[in-house]
Amino acid sequence: QVQVVESGGGLVQAGGSLRLSCAASGRTLRSYALGWFRQAPGKEREFVAAISRSGGSSYYADSVKGRFTISRDNAENTANLQMHSLKPEDTAVYYCAARSSAGVTTTPNGYDYWGQGTQVTVSS
């Protein structure tokens, strides 16, 4: 199985940018589709972005489309979520997740391995 660890969270002002990273160990990341999810206090975990095993296909929640970009580097066993034009409503714990089944899904239940999360706080 694979272990994933997120990094790069922090405090940023509205309109700013952050880059989250997801580092994998245990197995090569190229065997998994990857997703980023987030969870704000008192809310359910929600889909943010996902990318196929090859990196050829990516998917975004409407709320982040045009502002966030998901990418992966299978050679480096890493994935990233570049976030621009951040808004206070983007404040949440962000999680990287790996999916071992074929295809890509936007539902949390479709992912098998999760990191511990990294906090992103956007101040107004």
Side-chain angles (χ1 to χ4, degrees), residues 77-96:
N77 238 21
T78 60
N80 295 299
L81 184 69
Q82 180 68 56
M83 306 185 294
H84 294 298
S85 302
L86 284 161
K87 305 174 182 180
E89 51 263 44
D90 293 319
T91 295
V93 177
Y94 283 69
Y95 297 90
C96 176

Side-chain angles (χ1 to χ4, degrees), residues 14-81:
S17 300
L18 277 176
R19 182 181 178 90
L20 304 184
S21 295
C22 176
S25 62
R27 285 196 64 182
T28 176
L29 209 52
R30 70 175 69 248
S31 301
Y32 303 88
L34 299 174
W36 284 96
F37 293 79
R38 66 188 182 187
Q39 189 166 18
K43 295 188 177 181
E44 292 188 353
R45 192 166 298 189
E46 66 172 0
F47 169 74
V48 175
I51 191 166
S52 62
R53 294 180 183 185
S54 68
S57 298
S58 56
Y59 308 85
Y60 297 92
D62 288 343
S63 59
V64 307
K65 202 170 292 183
R67 300 188 297 122
F68 291 11
T69 302
I70 189 171
S71 62
R72 65 188 299 160
D73 185 337
N74 286 339
E76 295 293 327
N77 238 21
T78 60
N80 295 299
L81 184 69

